[in-house]
Amino acid sequence: MSTAKISARDVMVHYGDNCALKDVNVEIEDKTVTAFIGPSGCGKSTFLRCLNRMNDTIDGCRVAGAITLDGEDIYDKRVDPVQLRAKVGMVFQKPNPFPKSIYDNVAYGPRIHGLARTKAELDEIVEQSLRRAALWTEAKDRLHTPGTGLSGGQQQRLCIARAVATRPEVLLMDEPCSALDPIATAQIEELIDELRQNFSVVIVTHSMQQAARVSQKTAFFHLGNLVEYNETGKIFTNPQDPRTESYITGRIG
Amino acid sequence: MSDNNEHIMAAFDRDLDGIEALVVKMGGLVEVAIHDAAKAVATRDLELAEQVRTGDKAIDALEIQINEETARTLALRAPMSSDLRTLLTVLKIAAGLERAGDYARNLAKRTEALAALEPISGTDRTLRRMTAEVQQMLRNTLDAFVRRDIALAEQVRQHDEEVDEIYNALFREFLTFMMENPRNITACMHLHFIAKNVERMGDLTTNMAEQIIYMVSGELPGDLRPKGDQTAFMTGQD
Ligand SMILES: Nc1ncnc2c1ncn2[C@@H]1O[C@H](COP(=O)(O)OP(=O)(O)OP(=O)(O)O)[C@@H](O)[C@H]1O
Ligand SMILES: [Mg+2]
């Protein structure tokens, strides 16, 4: 068996008649940060959603091919998508806090998965998660106010806190820093690097510098194809495909 | 520019073009310095030698300007891939050109000492031929840089062997002259330093050419060049 945490074989995704991804083959390694880059609409979010079956919830979306997590088919009938998503957590492109308090947003996952036995333990998880998402200082005095009352960047960090609270084995992050200032961005990048000690992280980002800073592997998508997948250092100093070169150097492809 | 398609952000192209123009300008000055220094030595032209020495300041100033503008572009544009390799190459070429300029100045400096000494027959012509080779190598290197021409850069690398051969031959000749007549020693020592400097210029140019191969292809040439200077093993007995 390979060391791949997630392995995708011939993945093809349609929205109705529209083909959004074709023939994607990739092995996502364990304890590694993998960056997905590529122009808007190329299918990065679509592919990310395949990895925790988030596309199941989208009408008209059809996923073909095989995706395994630790060698097990995640699209198998016996797999419970809710259990899967506890293992494969996700931070969405648009912050989507529940209409609940900041505390409850973070405590939600640990509660339903029974990760805390006592109130003190739950408090501890909430604080830890908010700290890791670089939101604790701003949120600690308003934990019981609505999450939706936070600023855009704060909501994004709340969603990150919520995602790490369940200690997923794989964390999928769709542009997690798009609304963050440089300090919060650096804190999230530090968090990602820390998560890598034990977990896999897949991050979609439009910032080449961010991909270069945080990831070890980078995948470049273009028009629904996975064009190039390699060591991040290689992709950014000497990509093999002219489409990758044009994209990362900011040229008209 | 580096590729036929342009950056979406035109200002980036202007920055890179500006830096490349500085490199070409610097290279042109070094070419002239090498030519003039060799000529000054051969004709014992003290005035021309002085011109080479003062001209080196302009070369040094250009290196500083190239370094500053490259650092600025690295910081402001965060270049990737071929753009990044271009800027790294620019830094190395500028450093190589600056060193080559120093060697030309060293050549020129010896003109005065040589003017006071008897000429050593034959070696002046060989020295000029050697310098002309290096000058041509440098010109080809700059062309290869501007045109992104790997084949031309490769040709420069091969050429360096010829320069090394001329140097090795000259070294033998100097030894012979010195053994024949000890009064030749002073002039031969000066001429030998000159030949060694020209040989080093050839090496620097070769390094620049290799850097250009990296810039264009993303890989440094794999096979190691033969080490040309064999004088470390010469004893004067053979
Ligand atoms: N829910 C949906 N229904 C129909 N088509 C969709 C849906 N989501 C995405 N698509 C289409 O699939 C393609 C890929 O979209 P996707 O969101 O995966 O792109 P992306 O690479 O994440 O882009 P961005 O960088 O803008 O987020 C697009 O053509 C898009 O229009
Ligand atoms: Mg997206």
Side-chain angles (χ1 to χ4, degrees):
Chain A
M1 256 207 48
S2 71
T3 60
K5 182 73 183 171
I6 295 179
S7 161
R9 291 262 160 280
D10 304 323
V11 171
M12 181 105 88
V13 180
H14 283 85
Y15 294 103
D17 294 335
N18 214 353
C19 180
L21 276 180
K22 20 189 186 296
D23 303 325
V24 176
N25 284 286
V26 69
E27 311 248 288
I28 308 265
E29 288 169 23
D30 200 10
K31 304 191 200 308
T32 299
V33 180
T34 305
F36 288 174
I37 60 169
S40 192
C42 67
K44 305 177 297 295
S45 298
T46 298
F47 187 58
L48 209 60
R49 284 195 300 265
C50 290
L51 304 181
N52 69 346
R53 291 184 53 174
M54 228 41 198
N55 286 325
D56 292 13
T57 62
I58 298 175
D59 277 345
C61 183
R62 283 177 294 126
V63 178
I67 296 174
T68 58
L69 173 70
D70 293 325
E72 311 222 349
D73 181 4
I74 64 168
Y75 282 85
D76 189 286
K77 296 221 164 27
R78 285 163 301 183
V79 171
D80 171 8
V82 176
Q83 286 301 320
L84 173 70
R85 287 172 206 146
K87 274 204 231 170
V88 185
M90 188 160 195
V91 176
F92 295 83
Q93 193 162 1
K94 275 182 267 166
N96 56 345
F98 305 136
K100 292 170 184 286
S101 71
I102 294 172
Y103 185 98
D104 287 339
N105 260 280
V106 183
Y108 179 81
R111 270 190 191 125
I112 62 167
H113 293 107
L115 297 182
R117 279 163 306 176
T118 64
K119 172 80 169 74
E121 268 182 29
L122 191 59
D123 287 351
E124 176 61 28
I125 292 176
V126 170
E127 177 174 343
Q128 261 277 320
S129 306
L130 286 167
R131 278 191 190 281
R132 299 175 92 183
L135 189 60
W136 177 249
T137 334
E138 288 148 87
K140 66 177 192 297
D141 297 324
R142 51 194 286 198
L143 287 176
H144 299 286
T145 64
T148 47
L150 295 168
S151 79
Q154 288 170 335
Q155 288 186 22
Q156 214 170 32
R157 281 174 283 158
L158 177 60
C159 294
I160 293 169
R162 190 178 65 191
V164 298
T166 56
R167 313 221 162 94
E169 293 169 26
V170 179
L171 186 59
L172 310 173
M173 305 176 101
D174 201 343
E175 292 183 54
C177 301
S178 58
L180 301 189
D181 66 46
I183 300 299
T185 298
Q187 286 167 325
I188 298 307
E189 289 176 358
E190 169 61 18
L191 167 68
I192 291 170
D193 202 53
E194 187 189 308
L195 292 173
R196 168 165 80 91
Q197 307 306 311
N198 299 302
F199 310 117
S200 292
V201 181
V202 183
I203 177 174
V204 171
T205 174
H206 282 293
S207 158
M208 300 302 109
Q209 274 63 47
Q210 178 164 66
R213 282 192 302 263
V214 301
S215 73
Q216 291 75 52
K217 286 287 185 78
T218 296
F220 172 65
F221 289 83
H222 184 70
L223 300 174
N225 294 301
L226 174 60
V227 169
E228 192 165 349
Y229 176 57
N230 212 329
E231 304 286 335
T232 297
K234 180 83 178 156
I235 293 278
F236 289 112
T237 59
N238 192 15
Q240 300 304 296
D241 194 286
R243 288 168 290 181
T244 319
E245 169 80 21
S246 292
Y247 182 72
I248 66 173
T249 60
R251 287 181 166 83
I252 303 150
Chain B
M1 220 7 273
S2 46
D3 279 301
N4 30 22
N5 54 350
E6 292 162 358
H7 286 95
I8 295 162
M9 186 137 186
F12 193 176
D13 283 333
R14 287 197 293 276
D15 287 354
L16 288 175
D17 287 348
I19 291 172
E20 272 188 37
L22 288 175
V23 172
V24 171
K25 183 174 171 192
M26 187 179 178
L29 290 185
V30 172
E31 252 184 66
V32 171
I34 295 174
H35 173 267
D36 287 354
K39 188 174 173 196
V41 166
T43 60
R44 314 296 198 248
D45 183 339
L46 297 181
E47 209 174 303
L48 189 57
E50 182 55 27
Q51 215 172 295
V52 173
R53 290 169 62 173
T54 51
D56 192 47
K57 290 193 188 70
I59 294 173
D60 291 352
L62 270 172
E63 192 207 4
I64 292 169
Q65 196 186 347
I66 289 167
N67 286 349
E68 283 173 357
E69 297 200 9
T70 303
R72 196 183 132 79
T73 306
L74 286 169
L76 300 188
R77 309 248 176 241
M80 291 288 189
S81 189
S82 60
D83 296 329
L84 178 63
R85 298 200 305 268
T86 298
L87 290 173
L88 294 176
T89 298
V90 159
L91 288 177
K92 293 213 173 172
I93 290 183
L97 288 173
E98 191 274 333
R99 296 285 296 134
D102 282 351
Y103 285 132
R105 194 189 55 200
N106 287 348
L107 250 67
K109 272 189 195 162
R110 295 188 189 272
T111 304
E112 199 173 348
L114 282 170
L117 297 162
E118 284 294 300
I120 306 292
S121 71
T123 55
D124 275 357
R125 197 149 25 85
T126 316
L127 256 181
R128 291 224 43 195
R129 185 158 62 83
M130 184 179 176
T131 318
E133 285 281 344
V134 169
Q135 210 186 313
Q136 184 61 46
M137 280 169 66
L138 182 57
R139 183 170 309 145
N140 286 344
T141 299
L142 294 169
D143 283 350
F145 173 66
V146 172
R147 301 205 301 254
R148 270 52 182 171
D149 188 339
I150 291 195
L152 189 56
E154 189 56 49
Q155 195 184 311
V156 169
R157 293 180 74 218
Q158 303 308 326
H159 240 78
D160 190 46
E161 283 172 44
E162 280 166 46
V163 173
D164 290 340
E165 270 165 31
I166 303 178
Y167 170 72
N168 291 335
L170 267 174
F171 185 89
R172 262 189 221 100
E173 274 191 68
F174 291 140
L175 273 184
T176 313
F177 280 117
M178 288 189 277
M179 286 187 293
E180 265 172 22
N181 184 350
R183 278 191 312 187
N184 287 335
I185 288 178
T186 313
C188 280
M189 288 297 280
H190 282 295
L191 288 168
H192 170 254
F193 274 117
I194 287 172
K196 185 69 198 168
N197 283 348
V198 175
E199 189 264 338
R200 289 294 299 135
M201 286 188 215
D203 288 347
L204 288 169
T205 308
T206 305
N207 290 343
M208 294 180 217
E210 285 167 355
Q211 199 59 41
I212 289 164
I213 294 173
Y214 164 76
M215 171 179 84
V216 179
S217 70
E219 321 257 346
L220 274 172
D223 61 310
L224 283 171
R225 273 176 302 132
K227 188 70 200 85
D229 179 355
Q230 264 141 40
T231 57
F233 312 107
M234 287 182 192
T235 58
Q237 311 297 308
D238 47 13

